[in-house]
Structures are given as structure tokens and as C-alpha cells.
Amino acid sequence: MISSRPPTVWIDDSHAIVRRGMAACLQQADFVVRGESAALSPEPAINDLDVLVFEYAGPTLRRAVRLVDTRGTRLVATVRDVTEQAVREMVDAGVSAILPHRSLTADTLVTSLRSVVAGNVALPADMLARLLLHVTQTSHLGPAGLNTRERSVLRLLADGMDTRGIAEDLCFSERTVKNVVHDVLTKLNCRTRAQAVAVATREGVI
């Protein structure tokens, strides 16, 4: 569920000028910047943090994933060398948005983070089709893998609805919706809701 409070973000980048530039853009767009770090040092304060923006590297990705595990904080990666392997690794790890430095502007930064806070994903357009194919190939979706309730929840996720909205639409409790989403992610071998929607859409099950 999207809160009415301003979204909170932590910015990690090895270059102080880049961090300050991102912070200025986001603060102007009504984000609350909780802090800054380089290579996740000092360690970001994750409690009640909506988005962790971090500079991609193998070890940094693994540390970021461990930091936000079970916390609900969304990951956004900036990356200087965009390779298909790197993007696959980030998508598989559950990163919600990937922002190549070469095309990063104030508008794309703000738009991407707002999309992520709303529960969506932002991936490099030139790699999206190949990424969807990769996600499909590495999933365990079978012809009868999803039941009617799971497909209904997935369709509403694809429409951009949050947990509360889905619960109201289907007359479920929010706990039930969360349990159904968990089952869907497990069946599809996905880490995020957005990834599950991509797989299900690709397979034509929603």
C-alpha cells in the first residue's frame, strides 16, 4: 500500500557529486533523502525506508539484497557498464529499477523512483524483451501452475493495484492477499510482484 507520507530514499554512489545531484533532484520532487553512502558504507538505515538507490557491483548487489531482505524496501540500481548479464543478475535479485548512468537525467530518476514506489519496475527498454524471455525460461510455471484465485490477484497486480486495493476488490483480507502473492512468487520462482506479472503476461496466463 502506498502511504500518504513522502517516500523515503537512501542514496549510495561512489561519487559524492553524483550522490548530491541525485539527492537535490529527489528532494525537489518531495522525496525524503534519509542518508548517503559509498559502497554501502556507512550501512544504510533500512527501517521504514521505501527505496535504496545503490551503485551496482557484484558484492554491492549481494549486500543490498541482504540489507532489505524481508523489510519491504525496494532496490534501485545505478550502473555504469550495462551488460545483459549484469541486468539479468539484478532482475533475478529482485531489483525494481535499473538506471544506466549514460542516460540518467533528473526526470528519469524521479519518474523511475515514483514508479518503483507505486510497485512497478523500470528496466532498460533495449533489453526488456530479452529479459522477459530469460525470466520465463528460468521460471517453473506449468500449464496448471496457477489457480483461479492466484490469476485474479495477478491480474490486479498487473493493473497496478496494491494489497489493500486487491483485498477490497476480491473481498479478501489483506493477509490473504499477501499469502496468495507469496504463493504466486514461489510458483513462478520470482522475487518481486513485478517480475511475476512479467512472467505471467509472457506466458499468457493473465
Side-chain angles (χ1 to χ4, degrees):
M1 179 178 65
I2 301 173
S3 171
S4 58
R5 66 171 174 77
T8 55
V9 60
W10 183 286
I11 299 172
D12 178 84
D13 195 278
S14 58
H15 296 283
I17 293 176
V18 173
R19 294 197 305 270
R20 291 167 189 165
M22 287 195 288
C25 293
L26 292 171
Q27 287 168 338
Q28 190 171 8
D30 296 326
F31 283 79
V32 175
V33 178
R34 284 275 188 83
E36 300 178 13
S37 58
L40 299 178
S41 179
E43 184 173 291
I46 300 300
N47 287 341
D48 298 320
L49 185 70
D50 294 313
V51 183
L52 170 59
V53 180
F54 71 100
E55 185 177 12
Y56 166 78
T60 309
L61 174 63
R62 290 187 288 275
R63 283 189 60 202
V65 170
R66 284 197 298 270
L67 275 172
V68 305
D69 187 36
T70 74
R71 298 297 188 95
T73 302
R74 296 174 176 87
L75 291 174
V76 172
T78 61
V79 56
R80 286 177 166 76
D81 183 20
V82 184
T83 65
E84 186 171 348
Q85 180 59 40
V87 175
R88 284 185 178 186
E89 184 180 341
M90 286 182 271
V91 170
D92 287 344
V95 172
S96 297
I98 300 171
L99 306 176
H101 272 263
R102 65 171 182 257
S103 58
L104 185 58
T105 66
D107 285 344
T108 57
L109 176 66
V110 171
T111 300
S112 296
L113 263 66
R114 282 178 174 160
S115 180
V116 166
V117 169
N120 302 314
V121 294
L123 303 174
D126 57 340
M127 290 189 177
L128 190 54
R130 283 178 290 173
L131 285 170
L132 288 175
L133 178 61
H134 164 68
V135 170
T136 300
Q137 290 172 338
T138 56
S139 74
H140 303 307
L141 180 63
L146 298 175
N147 60 37
T148 301
R149 184 166 68 170
E150 290 163 348
R151 290 173 189 241
S152 297
V153 169
L154 260 176
R155 289 189 191 99
L156 295 176
L157 284 175
D159 289 338
M161 295 184 69
D162 60 18
T163 299
R164 173 176 288 184
I166 294 171
E168 292 175 351
D169 190 273
L170 298 178
C171 297
F172 293 161
S173 69
E174 291 188 38
R175 179 179 294 276
T176 296
V177 172
K178 290 177 182 178
N179 288 339
V180 173
V181 171
H182 176 269
D183 291 343
V184 167
L185 295 181
T186 300
K187 287 184 178 181
L188 302 187
N189 192 32
C190 294
R191 291 183 59 89
T192 66
R193 296 179 176 202
Q195 190 180 16
V197 168
V199 171
T201 302
R202 178 82 181 187
E203 287 289 318
V205 298
I206 60 171

